[in-house]
Amino acid sequence: MSDEPIYMDHNATTPVADHVVEAMLPYLTELYGNPSSTSPQGLQARRAVERAREQVAHLIGAHADEIVFTSGGTESNNLAIRGTAAQPVSRVAVTSAIEHPATVAPLAHLQDQYRWKVHEMPVDAHARIELAAVPTGDIGLGTLILAHNEIGTIQPVAEFSAAVHAAGGRVHADGAQAVGKIAVSVAALGVDLLSIAGHKLYAPKGIGALYIRRGTDISAVLRGAGQERGLRPGTENVASIVALGAAAELAERLLDDEMKRQTALRNLLWERLSADIAGLIRVTPYDGTLPNTLMVAIPHALGADLLESTAPIAASTGSACHAGTHTPSSSLLAMGLTPDVALGAVRLSLGRSTTAADIETVASSLVASAKALT
Ligand SMILES: Cc1ncc(COP(=O)(O)O)c(C=O)c1O
């Protein structure tokens, strides 16, 4: 076995796929044109950007002209949410109690700067919103995390979209964790806006996209020249855009097989862990989740201690650590876990490189550490 830890942290980020590196490299070297320039180099870069736009659109069943390239999930969420601030329909936003900070913070901005009201829907024990909690009355914006980064739960976005549309609002889904891991169709979801984060689907960090349904009025957050229809001014990050296109095409090709393969490995991991760790709590629901995500909680132990004592594994906990103090994730508390259980949570997120042998090693190491700690 190599000394490299086994990487079980694909929801934090993914490595850039070899195929993606190959596709983007020429745009860092000889193909350096500015896509806004009419020079031959510029035209070549423009063609590459437009091809990538088609590849990304294809992955989610959109039209190419509905894709705007951004720097990633955070920027896409900001453009979707803050870009809606000036829309006069209604200043009520509806969201869930388990959103990523990249949604929570722009919503707080709408509240503070534009006097919007933000209605947070609770989630059940599976971290799923209760549709009955969508408020009555006019809604300006509904925004929901499509698949949860820690727990893996997939939300009923199609039903949420229907309810928000019926109340006059537009719908944004944060697809940062979903796109590339599960089949995502903007038509089936009924969303008007969908965020994509490149580094979660084997493209580099610092690139992403926002799907904007034709006819959806959005205001730019950044102001500058006219790139990306003026919605994302600034000279395009051509190499990374090409990378995102290649990553989208690759994800589409691998999706069905990887979903099956990773689901089977994730289930095997749960079997191994639950057989040998007494009282192990499964935080990730059995159904309706990302195929690659397994969050478990070891009673009476800190997830951070468990990972620290399990040398060969790279994974995440369900808590944040500041100056030696562990704070449980607010999403885990929102789904009803006690702070004690939430502090014991460990998120194992599989990826394309994960093998059955990795699962056996990870399981036996975690079992040994859990036994030593409890
Ligand atoms: C659900 C979700 N939304 C948004 C983001 C932010 O994406 P980025 O890191 O590309 O800004 C993340 C990243 O962890 C995420 O998991």
Side-chain angles (χ1 to χ4, degrees):
M1 198 177 75
S2 87
D3 291 340
E4 281 290 301
I6 295 174
Y7 191 72
M8 299 290 279
D9 207 15
H10 291 83
N11 288 6
T13 197
T14 56
V16 182
D18 291 347
H19 167 74
V20 171
V21 173
E22 271 166 38
M24 76 184 289
L25 263 183
Y27 294 90
L28 293 171
T29 52
E30 70 264 30
L31 303 174
Y32 48 78
N34 182 331
S36 298
S37 157
T38 51
S39 65
Q41 291 90 337
L43 294 174
Q44 204 167 24
R46 169 58 53 203
R47 276 197 296 276
V49 167
E50 297 315 319
R51 173 153 187 268
R53 206 184 301 281
E54 281 167 16
Q55 290 167 314
V56 172
H58 201 265
L59 178 63
I60 58 169
H63 301 286
D65 61 14
E66 295 175 311
I67 301 297
V68 166
F69 290 112
T70 67
S71 65
T74 300
E75 189 186 328
S76 295
N77 284 6
N78 269 269
L79 182 54
I81 295 169
R82 294 170 61 190
T84 291
Q87 301 305 319
V89 193
S90 150
R91 292 188 179 184
V92 173
V94 178
T95 190
S96 82
I98 57 165
E99 297 297 313
H100 191 276
T103 292
V104 176
L107 282 175
H109 181 78
L110 257 56
Q111 219 167 3
D112 298 345
Q113 301 291 318
Y114 299 93
R115 288 179 285 117
W116 278 60
K117 285 199 171 59
V118 177
H119 180 99
E120 241 181 46
M121 291 180 295
V123 294
D124 64 17
H126 301 294
R128 208 158 283 130
I129 56 157
E130 287 159 19
L131 285 161
V134 177
T136 51
D138 290 347
I139 296 174
L141 171 71
T143 176
L144 198 55
I145 185 166
L146 175 50
H148 197 266
N149 44 307
E150 293 171 279
I151 306 152
T153 296
I154 298 170
Q155 296 296 339
V157 170
E159 291 82 356
F160 176 73
S161 294
V164 172
H165 284 151
R170 64 176 54 172
V171 179
H172 165 247
D174 177 354
Q177 291 290 344
V179 175
K181 293 197 185 101
I182 55 171
V184 173
S185 148
V186 288
L189 294 176
V191 294
D192 306 294
L193 301 153
L194 176 83
S195 298
I196 300 175
H199 72 107
K200 312 287 188 188
L201 71 139
Y202 302 84
K205 293 155 190 65
I207 186 68
L210 180 67
Y211 157 79
I212 306 174
R213 180 186 296 283
R214 285 178 180 168
T216 307
D217 240 342
I218 277 279
S219 318
V221 173
L222 292 179
R223 302 295 164 136
Q227 292 94 345
E228 298 298 285
R229 293 188 279 135
L231 288 172
R232 209 306 183 144
T235 302
E236 295 88 339
N237 182 353
V238 178
S240 290
I241 288 173
V242 167
L244 183 60
E249 197 179 80
L250 186 64
E252 202 172 329
R253 189 145 38 90
L254 299 178
L255 195 65
D256 287 349
D257 286 351
E258 279 301 311
M259 278 177 64
K260 284 196 202 99
R261 202 184 68 84
Q262 291 183 35
T263 301
L265 290 177
R266 191 261 312 262
N267 294 348
L268 177 66
L269 181 57
W270 167 247
E271 266 174 42
R272 290 282 189 275
L273 294 175
S274 56
D276 287 327
I277 303 176
L280 186 71
I281 295 164
R282 179 167 170 141
V283 178
T284 299
Y286 284 90
D287 296 313
T289 69
L290 291 173
N292 76 321
T293 306
L294 180 66
M295 183 171 247
V296 294
I298 319 254
H300 317 301
L302 266 182
D305 288 347
L306 185 77
L307 287 184
E308 208 168 295
S309 58
T310 316
I313 302 174
S316 289
T317 63
S319 61
C321 178
H322 300 289
T325 305
H326 295 272
T327 315
S329 142
S330 58
S331 297
L332 299 186
L333 300 181
M335 69 185 284
L337 297 189
T338 62
D340 204 35
V341 171
L343 286 173
V346 170
R347 177 190 70 188
L348 301 154
S349 49
L350 287 59
R352 290 180 195 156
S353 63
T354 310
T355 63
D358 289 343
I359 297 295
E360 297 297 347
T361 309
V362 166
S364 50
S365 311
L366 280 172
V367 166
S369 305
K371 284 188 175 153
L373 280 177
T374 53

